[in-house]
Amino acid sequence: MKFRKPICSFILLLFAFLVLSTGRADAQKVAVKTNLLYAATTSPNLALEFSLGKKLTLDLATGGSLWEYKDNAKFKHWLVQPELRYWICEPFNGHFVGLHGLVSEFNVGGIDVPIAKLSALKEHRYEGFAYGAGLSYGYHWILSPRWNLQLSLGAGYAYVPYTKFDCIKCGEKLEQSNYNYWGVTKASISLVYVLK
């Protein structure tokens, strides 16, 4: 998969801008996280969460995979998923609700996933983007002064323009279309390290 340079550059600049614009993120109000669910799909990922005040945080998550497997199977993608969170009690403790966005690019095929529409990945390759947003709910457990655990689940909408190819190796284009997805747009079990 060849990432489109203008889009990748834009995403990286946006991510850097959001990190730099968090203002007064002092050391007690910053957390570094990894989503263990996402990592279980062989997708390295990292998130930073910054306190923006008494009830708000900004979570900036990114991850991806450039893996190719035997028989030319692919699971290449990248994802950027910012989220603004409102904490019921206080940041990094207890319940929160969030509004998240997502931008992703993918090149996936030759993988046997016997679940509904994903079963098409066994015989076809799909290449495209996903743009979306949704609402989420989560909970944050304090395990120790620095180590925490965070669960989150979100649902929303994603617009997915894609190109479908006949097989993994030959690459004959079959269809160019888009898909309007409504459903789960975020799921995480994150291990959190709070900086001090």
Side-chain angles (χ1 to χ4, degrees):
M1 173 165 121
K2 294 180 181 176
F3 292 134
R4 287 145 182 93
K5 288 182 182 178
I7 291 175
C8 287
S9 298
F10 171 75
I11 297 300
L12 290 173
L13 285 172
L14 178 63
F15 190 75
F17 171 75
L18 289 171
V19 168
L20 295 174
S21 68
T22 57
R24 52 174 211 106
D26 60 43
Q28 288 188 327
K29 299 184 182 189
V30 178
V32 178
K33 306 184 294 186
T34 187
N35 182 346
L36 302 175
L37 285 179
Y38 197 29
T41 66
T42 67
S43 300
N45 65 91
L46 181 68
L48 297 174
E49 188 168 1
F50 302 91
S51 177
L52 299 178
K54 293 182 179 179
K55 296 280 189 176
L56 293 177
T57 61
L58 178 62
D59 182 66
L60 302 171
T62 186
S65 170
L66 298 175
W67 313 127
E68 285 196 36
Y69 304 96
K70 66 179 181 175
D71 299 325
N72 207 26
K74 292 176 174 49
F75 186 60
K76 295 182 175 184
H77 71 283
W78 58 260
L79 169 75
V80 174
Q81 196 165 42
E83 181 174 45
L84 183 63
R85 293 177 170 173
Y86 176 82
W87 295 78
I88 306 303
C89 190
E90 63 183 350
F92 307 109
N93 186 15
H95 301 274
F96 63 87
V97 291
L99 174 63
H100 64 269
L102 69 91
V103 177
S104 180
E105 184 179 8
F106 58 88
N107 183 352
V108 183
I111 300 171
D112 189 9
V113 184
I115 302 171
K117 290 190 176 231
L118 295 177
S119 62
L121 293 175
K122 185 174 181 179
E123 300 296 327
H124 298 94
R125 183 171 62 86
Y126 293 84
E127 195 175 299
F129 292 88
Y131 310 96
L135 299 173
S136 61
Y137 163 78
Y139 193 84
H140 189 102
W141 286 274
I142 297 172
L143 303 177
S144 74
R146 290 186 186 256
W147 291 100
N148 294 236
L149 185 67
Q150 190 177 90
L151 275 68
S152 178
L153 184 64
Y157 168 78
Y159 174 70
V160 185
Y162 67 89
T163 304
K164 178 180 177 181
F165 295 90
D166 184 28
C167 61
I168 305 307
K169 293 181 181 176
C170 63
E172 182 182 334
K173 186 195 289 189
L174 287 180
E175 173 185 10
Q176 190 160 358
S177 187
N178 60 66
Y179 180 67
N180 294 298
Y181 170 80
W182 291 92
V184 175
T185 50
K186 181 172 189 163
S188 68
I189 298 175
S190 296
L191 185 60
V192 181
Y193 184 77
V194 178
L195 300 175
K196 291 201 174 202

